[in-house]
Amino acid sequence: MTAPIPLVVLTGFLGSGKTTLLNRWLDQRGDLAVIINELGEIGIDKDLARKVGAPISLLAGGCVCCAVQGTLRTTLRNLYMARAGGD
């Protein structure tokens, strides 16, 4: 059995500081991957997250619980396989 992989779900209201907190984590940690779920028509959060070498995946087109479940499943599997392969 493999060791569990830590997971943090960062959520909050518009303007509550999610992107600021995310950018601080990205500055401090080199072992993070980020999945951003964009609910709006125009995705800006991916552009606001600093490019510090962390893989960033965008799930656009709706609620992660309802509309993009399959995409989330595939994204998580791909991240797991990349980590298992040493990427």
Side-chain angles (χ1 to χ4, degrees):
M1 183 167 241
T2 61
I5 298 173
L7 173 71
V8 174
V9 177
L10 178 60
T11 184
F13 293 106
L14 183 65
S16 64
K18 299 177 300 292
T19 303
T20 300
L21 178 59
L22 175 63
N23 283 327
R24 287 185 183 160
W25 279 343
L26 291 173
D27 284 342
Q28 295 173 3
R29 302 277 310 255
D31 60 346
L32 299 177
V34 179
I35 301 171
I36 297 175
N37 180 214
E38 289 283 6
L39 293 174
E41 299 247 344
I42 300 172
I44 62 168
D45 287 334
K46 184 176 180 182
D47 295 330
L48 293 175
R50 290 191 198 118
K51 307 286 189 207
V52 292
I56 298 178
S57 298
L58 178 65
L59 300 179
C63 173
V64 73
C65 301
C66 308
V68 293
Q69 281 182 14
T71 306
L72 176 62
R73 188 176 301 119
T74 301
T75 300
L76 290 171
R77 184 180 319 116
N78 290 344
L79 287 171
Y80 175 81
M81 296 304 289
R83 182 177 179 149
D87 294 341

